[in-house]
Amino acid sequence: MPLEETGRAVSFPAWPWLHLDHEDPVHRQWLRECSGLDSLSCDALLASETRPRLVCEGDHVLVILRGVNLNPGAEPDDMISLRIWVEAGRVISLRHRRLLAVTDVRKLMLAGKGPRTPGELVVMIAGRLVDRQGVVVEALEDTVDEVEEEIVKEAGYALRTRIAEFRRQAIGLRRYIAPQRDVLAQLVNLPVTWLDANLRARLREVAEHQVRLVEEVDAARERAGVAQEELNGRLSEQMNRNMYVLSVVAGVFLPLGLLTGLLGINVGGMPGVESPYAFWSVCAILVVLAIVMIWLFRRARLM
């Protein structure tokens, strides 16, 4: 069984699997000096930044995959790199952060249900990586459904931030699963001895699952784009409606404000200063003027 946290090799009847931390200086030194791999392969396995890729040299394969980060407090789109060197009699894998897909395989091996060949180990890890991605993609689709329902019920500016965050996650996820789709498709057809017909068939199903996930992410991104356009339209309509109401109110009260301002100037000769009924007369005139303005707006179909 592989000991994921210690980096110690575990032997099977005919082959070992060594799971290392590519940021650990001791593991890096062992890989370069004691693993027997050439310098170019070591550089690829220990690179700080990687993307899904595949390199085949005879019966030896270097494959780099990505898994979603489901560790506590992490973002799923912050995907973890898993670098694997596989040959007929040995598997070397490297990661820095804990990867639950590898933990799943380890648990299966503890239960006596794990892989019995290097090829089966690669297929099983790839399948667990894609399965974990499926959980995240389903959560993205549920988020899009919720956003669409909220837009129909009540469009708010808070949804714009939520949609933007969703699209950022979808872009980050697709950045790695799209090339990983191509890597898995290439791996199915590699002329290596450690992949038999049964394993190729299983790996082909994993590759098809990866293709479906890429398509689902693309569909979710498109739905999010449509939802954002709908939200922007509703917010613009709401703003235009509010501005229209304010414009109508300003149009009604503009002449009233002009009249009261004119009567409020502090100069001599103001009419009604000595009359006890002047204030109520002015109020009545303002009410009548407001009713006339509203009638004119309605007749002009501005209200």
Side-chain angles (χ1 to χ4, degrees):
M1 57 184 174
L3 300 180
E4 184 177 350
E5 304 302 328
T6 64
R8 288 181 291 169
V10 178
S11 295
F12 289 84
W15 60 278
W17 173 23
L18 185 64
H19 193 56
L20 306 176
D21 182 349
H22 61 79
E23 295 295 330
D24 189 312
V26 176
H27 295 177
R28 295 173 68 91
Q29 181 179 5
W30 179 89
L31 188 69
R32 290 190 179 279
E33 298 178 1
C34 304
S35 66
L37 303 183
D38 60 85
S39 59
L40 291 178
S41 298
C42 291
D43 290 341
L45 290 170
L46 298 175
S48 57
E49 295 293 334
T50 62
R51 289 176 60 83
R53 56 177 295 205
L54 183 146
V55 179
C56 180
E57 297 180 2
D59 207 40
H60 304 163
V61 173
L62 187 155
V63 57
I64 299 177
L65 304 174
R66 285 273 181 162
V68 291
N69 190 352
L70 298 179
N71 294 313
E75 294 291 336
D77 58 293
D78 180 22
M79 303 188 73
I80 301 174
S81 173
L82 179 64
R83 304 99 183 272
I84 304 175
W85 172 271
V86 56
E87 51 190 283
R90 182 176 61 166
V91 176
I92 301 175
S93 59
L94 301 96
R95 61 90 186 95
H96 177 54
R97 292 169 290 180
R98 189 170 67 102
L99 196 57
L100 296 183
V102 176
T103 303
D104 291 342
V105 177
R106 177 177 179 270
K107 290 179 179 178
L108 289 175
M109 301 181 80
L110 289 172
K113 301 177 182 179
R116 307 314 305 172
T117 66
E120 188 176 0
L121 173 63
V122 173
V123 173
M124 188 172 291
I125 290 178
R128 288 295 187 274
L129 290 174
V130 176
D131 290 342
R132 294 283 184 177
Q133 293 174 16
V135 175
V136 175
V137 172
E138 289 179 4
L140 289 178
E141 293 178 330
D142 292 340
T143 301
V144 175
D145 293 337
E146 294 174 2
V147 168
E148 290 175 340
E149 292 178 0
E150 291 181 15
I151 290 176
V152 173
K153 293 179 180 178
E154 182 179 0
Y157 286 95
L159 285 176
R160 299 177 67 175
T161 303
R162 188 174 179 185
I163 293 176
E165 177 65 18
F166 169 84
R167 298 184 73 178
R168 183 193 66 80
Q169 291 181 354
I171 291 172
L173 186 61
R174 193 189 188 284
R175 177 186 176 189
Y176 293 110
I177 67 173
Q180 187 159 301
R181 167 194 57 190
D182 301 330
V183 168
L184 293 176
Q186 296 173 21
L187 187 59
V188 172
N189 299 315
L190 285 184
V192 290
T193 59
W194 42 268
L195 280 178
D196 57 25
N198 179 51
L199 291 178
R200 291 180 191 276
R202 291 170 55 185
L203 187 59
R204 188 174 294 107
E205 290 300 317
V206 174
E208 288 295 329
H209 189 189
Q210 185 74 85
V211 170
R212 291 195 299 272
L213 292 182
V214 174
E215 294 174 349
E216 290 173 3
V217 170
D218 289 339
R221 288 177 56 197
E222 294 177 0
R223 289 175 58 193
V226 173
Q228 187 167 21
E229 293 177 0
E230 176 68 18
L231 176 61
N232 291 337
R234 287 177 178 266
L235 292 177
S236 297
E237 182 180 353
Q238 182 179 348
M239 181 178 295
N240 292 337
R241 184 168 57 252
N242 293 338
M243 293 299 295
Y244 173 75
V245 172
L246 292 176
S247 299
V248 170
V249 172
V252 171
F253 284 94
L254 182 62
L256 305 182
L258 176 62
L259 181 59
T260 55
L262 181 62
L263 295 177
I265 58 178
N266 192 17
V267 296
M270 290 296 297
V273 174
E274 303 296 335
S275 174
Y277 304 106
F279 174 75
W280 298 108
S281 299
V282 171
C283 290
I285 292 173
L286 293 178
V287 171
V288 172
L289 183 58
I291 293 174
V292 172
M293 292 294 299
I294 294 174
W295 177 77
L296 290 175
F297 276 125
R298 287 185 177 276
R299 185 173 182 180
R301 296 184 178 179
L302 297 178
M303 290 183 65

